[in-house]
Amino acid sequence: MLLYGPAMKNILSDKGEALISIEKSENYSLGTPIQLSQYSIILVHKGEGIYHADFASFNFSGPTLLFSTPLQTIFIDPSKNIDYTVILFHGDFYCIEAHREEVACNGLLFNNIYLQPSVIISQQQHNVFCKLLQHLEEELSDPDSSEMILKSYLQVILAKCSTAKIRTMDKDAVVLAKDEKMEQFRILLDEKYLVLHKPNDYAAILSISPNTLTKKSIKYFGKTPSQLIQDRLILEAKKMLHLTTLSIKEIAYQLQFNDEYYFSRFFKKCTQISPQAFRNKGGISQVAYLSK
């Protein structure tokens, strides 16, 4: 059951959770670390600063788009006056896994440890996003608006974000030379993250020194090998908590932890939240039940 919030700017579940909402920087500060239960799209209109997402951080300046996945620890450290608008949507309202073909954002804007969760946009693109946000906000303010219309606007916004990201990546590919060793490391990590947990193991397979692996990884991915190894394991854990109905014990077993308690300690150390709390707050996706 969906209920309109008192300000007519968000929609709530019967538990009182915001399923979709729009927030403005003057009333919604991201200046201190926060863990949101929803996916977020942050449209930075102007200003600049540093965006922190979990243990990674990078500089940005508006206009730009920033993204976060549920229960990531994020915050913005502004170096100049910053103005932004945030779209928040819960997986229960719009499931990006179920709509992956329509919006192509899963693994591109969200849930990707190798890409920065951002995209620089032109002033013309910024104007387009502002118009879409205006339409979405008008629908949220209309008590007679339907869930289908709201989802349609959100889908268009996500699709345009994905298109902008892909275009940026294509342009960067022309300018930046591909590092074959780092591409091999990416493939190797996706294949071996369950069994190889030390950077030295990957360096040996790649026939380079651990120091060279670290320097190349920071330059290419913006993260150390240790960060990437940890992030890859946590990403898989989050997927299993959100996209399956497996118990915490079963997930720990599949991720090759000695026991569920060690897995829970590791997960909480990396995410500041326990696996069960992550599942409780983020919920289990409808995708988990589609194959049953």
Side-chain angles (χ1 to χ4, degrees):
M1 178 182 178
L2 301 180
L3 304 172
Y4 283 87
M8 297 304 177
K9 291 295 177 66
N10 57 52
I11 290 182
L12 308 176
S13 70
D14 52 4
K15 296 180 180 178
E17 299 172 315
L19 295 182
I20 181 168
S21 64
I22 295 177
E23 307 289 350
K24 304 293 180 65
S25 53
E26 58 264 30
N27 301 315
Y28 191 81
S29 174
L30 293 174
T32 55
I34 188 173
Q35 287 182 301
L36 301 167
S37 298
Q38 307 95 332
Y39 290 94
S40 74
I41 304 169
I42 306 167
L43 174 59
V44 179
H45 306 293
K46 61 181 180 180
E48 59 187 57
I50 303 173
Y51 182 51
H52 302 266
D54 290 334
F55 300 106
S57 60
F58 58 89
N59 297 311
F60 70 86
S61 60
T64 193
L65 292 160
L66 307 172
F67 309 94
S68 75
T69 57
L71 299 170
Q72 269 192 301
T73 301
I74 65 168
F75 71 98
I76 292 174
D77 181 14
S79 57
K80 287 187 178 181
N81 289 335
I82 188 169
D83 179 26
Y84 56 79
T85 302
V86 186
I87 304 174
L88 300 164
F89 68 95
H90 199 282
D92 288 347
F93 178 77
Y94 190 90
C95 178
I96 63 172
E97 293 86 10
H99 294 85
R100 59 184 181 275
E101 293 182 2
E102 292 90 340
V103 296
C105 65
N106 190 31
L108 182 65
L109 309 177
F110 309 104
N111 301 315
N112 190 313
I113 66 171
Y114 305 107
L115 298 175
Q116 286 190 349
S118 67
V119 57
I120 299 171
I121 55 175
S122 66
Q123 194 59 54
Q124 183 179 5
Q125 289 173 307
H126 175 259
N127 293 339
V128 170
F129 280 109
C130 285
K131 288 179 181 178
L132 287 169
L133 276 173
Q134 182 181 350
H135 290 315
L136 180 59
E137 190 167 6
E138 288 171 353
E139 289 298 326
L140 282 168
S141 301
D142 182 359
D144 296 323
S145 178
S146 72
E147 184 180 342
M148 181 182 69
I149 293 174
L150 291 166
K151 286 182 177 179
S152 296
Y153 276 121
L154 178 59
Q155 183 167 300
V156 171
I157 291 170
L158 286 168
K160 284 194 170 293
C161 287
S162 295
T163 299
K165 181 68 172 179
I166 291 169
R167 286 177 179 171
T168 299
M169 290 169 61
D170 289 342
K171 289 179 182 178
D172 290 344
V174 174
V175 178
L176 302 174
K178 181 175 288 189
D179 188 320
E180 293 298 335
K181 285 292 183 182
M182 288 302 93
E183 289 301 323
Q184 290 174 27
F185 176 45
R186 185 207 304 260
I187 294 171
L188 192 61
L189 179 56
D190 285 337
E191 291 177 349
K192 303 290 187 181
Y193 69 92
L194 287 178
V195 293
L196 298 182
H197 299 153
K198 296 180 180 178
N200 288 10
D201 296 330
Y202 293 93
I205 296 173
L206 294 168
S207 300
I208 57 177
S209 70
N211 188 48
T212 298
L213 175 62
T214 298
K215 288 181 178 179
K216 281 180 170 288
S217 179
I218 293 173
K219 182 178 179 181
Y220 202 66
F221 298 116
K223 298 179 181 180
T224 65
S226 295
Q227 284 177 303
L228 285 170
I229 294 166
Q230 173 184 287
D231 288 353
R232 185 63 185 85
L233 194 55
I234 289 296
L235 176 62
E236 197 64 26
K238 286 181 175 180
K239 285 182 179 179
M240 297 178 77
L241 288 165
H242 182 55
L243 299 176
T244 76
T245 57
L246 294 173
S247 68
I248 306 299
K249 183 176 182 179
E250 289 171 324
I251 291 173
Y253 176 77
Q254 292 207 12
L255 294 177
Q256 300 190 22
F257 282 83
N258 291 333
D259 57 63
E260 62 183 296
Y261 305 106
Y262 177 43
F263 166 62
S264 294
R265 289 194 298 271
F266 172 79
F267 189 90
K268 187 170 184 178
K269 179 182 177 181
C270 296
T271 66
Q272 313 305 312
I273 190 171
S274 71
Q276 190 60 59
F278 178 90
R279 171 170 276 177
N280 291 343
K281 290 186 177 182
I284 296 178
S285 170
Q286 57 186 271
V287 172
Y289 303 99
L290 294 179
S291 59
K292 291 192 172 185

